[in-house]
């Protein structure tokens, strides 16, 4: 698809560009490795697994100088950016170790309700933080939701990521529920997950960066 931003600065594009799978997987791992590590470590194996099973049509990227500088994944229906089923996990990690990893991954699954787009998270390269890329990606995800007649965007943010929560709040997300997960603090590094909603009510022309 053609870029939605032109001129100077990041170009926002829908879809993960062919050939950028390893880059996108590395960005996701840098951002969410602490959360995903227990299920997908070691890091080299995890990054390779993520790259091999990306669903290209479920991501929005920001490109700077020809390289992906940020990515936002989302779920519509039964498809999200991060793919790979039980057979893929068992094939990569082995039957014995794979079963435990499947159980951990199941704890993190979030399925969209009718009329809902679920965000898988935003990852921005460290050297490009502070350039407004996260905001650009959020606006484009909202545009995707509007085009699919979704009533809202939903996401989860963990308690050890206050900067992400502040970004979401600036873009109209409202906390609706916090689940205490103390049993995951030692295992995954966080002890609470807050679900946030953003209603899709504005015309599409005000949501995108076209």
């Amino acid at each position: 698809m053609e870029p939605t931003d032109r001129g100077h600065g990041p170009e926002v594009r829908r879809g993960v560009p062919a050939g950028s799978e390893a880059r996108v997987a590395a960005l996701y791992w840098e951002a969410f490795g602490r959360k995903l590590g227990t299920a997908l470590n070691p890091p080299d194996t995890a990054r390779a697994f993520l790259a091999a099973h990306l669903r290209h049509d479920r991501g929005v990227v920001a490109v700077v100088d020809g390289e992906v500088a940020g990515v936002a994944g989302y779920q519509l229906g039964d498809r999200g950016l991060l793919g790979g089923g039980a057979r893929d996990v068992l094939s990569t990690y082995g039957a014995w170790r794979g079963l435990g990893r499947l159980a951990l991954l199941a704890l993190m699954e979030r399925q969209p309700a009718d009329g809902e787009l679920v965000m898988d998270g935003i990852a921005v390269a460290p050297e490009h933080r502070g350039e407004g890329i996260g905001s650009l990606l959020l606006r484009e995800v909202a545009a995707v939701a509007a085009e699919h007649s979704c009533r809202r965007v939903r996401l989860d943010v963990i308690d050890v990521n206050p900067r992400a929560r502040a970004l979401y709040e600036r873009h109209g997300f409202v906390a609706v529920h916090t689940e205490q997960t103390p049993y995951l603090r030692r295992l995954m590094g966080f002890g609470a997950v807050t679900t946030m909603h953003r209603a899709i009510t504005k015309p599409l022309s005000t949501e995108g960066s076209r």
Side-chain angles (χ1 to χ4, degrees), residues 36-115:
L36 297 173
T38 305
L40 296 180
N41 272 328
D44 287 348
T45 302
R47 287 188 288 265
F49 181 86
L50 294 175
H53 299 290
L54 287 175
R55 297 187 179 111
H56 293 69
D57 64 339
R58 289 296 189 262
V60 172
V61 300
V63 177
V64 176
D65 296 330
E67 183 177 59
V68 173
V71 57
Y74 59 87
Q75 296 182 57
L76 276 172
D78 61 353
R79 289 173 56 80
L81 176 65
L82 304 181
R87 180 175 298 178
D88 302 306
V89 173
L90 296 176
S91 175
T92 300
Y93 294 96
W96 178 251
R97 285 189 276 182
L99 289 174
R101 294 169 190 271
L102 285 172
L104 291 172
L105 290 170
L107 287 174
M108 294 182 275
E109 285 188 359
R110 297 291 186 271
Q111 293 298 319
D114 290 341

Side-chain angles (χ1 to χ4, degrees), residues 74-201:
Y74 59 87
Q75 296 182 57
L76 276 172
D78 61 353
R79 289 173 56 80
L81 176 65
L82 304 181
R87 180 175 298 178
D88 302 306
V89 173
L90 296 176
S91 175
T92 300
Y93 294 96
W96 178 251
R97 285 189 276 182
L99 289 174
R101 294 169 190 271
L102 285 172
L104 291 172
L105 290 170
L107 287 174
M108 294 182 275
E109 285 188 359
R110 297 291 186 271
Q111 293 298 319
D114 290 341
E116 185 178 71
L117 178 150
V118 174
M119 283 192 58
D120 286 331
I122 290 180
V124 178
E127 65 271 21
H128 291 291
R129 290 172 187 165
E131 299 176 7
I133 287 176
S135 293
L136 290 172
L137 294 172
L138 280 173
R139 293 188 189 106
E140 195 63 22
V141 168
V144 171
E147 289 181 10
H148 285 81
S149 300
C150 293
R151 298 187 303 274
R152 70 187 183 198
V153 177
R154 185 181 107 217
L155 58 81
D156 293 324
V157 61
I158 57 179
D159 58 348
V160 294
N161 198 354
R163 291 182 63 184
R165 176 165 177 167
L167 172 66
Y168 301 143
E169 289 174 341
R170 290 199 300 272
H171 284 268
F173 285 87
V174 177
V176 296
H177 173 71
T178 297
E179 180 181 358
Q180 301 298 324
T181 56
Y183 53 91
L184 293 178
R185 186 169 296 280
R186 292 187 63 183
L187 190 63
M188 295 184 179
F190 60 90
V193 179
T194 296
T195 298
M196 306 184 78
H197 291 168
R198 182 198 190 281
I200 301 297
T201 57

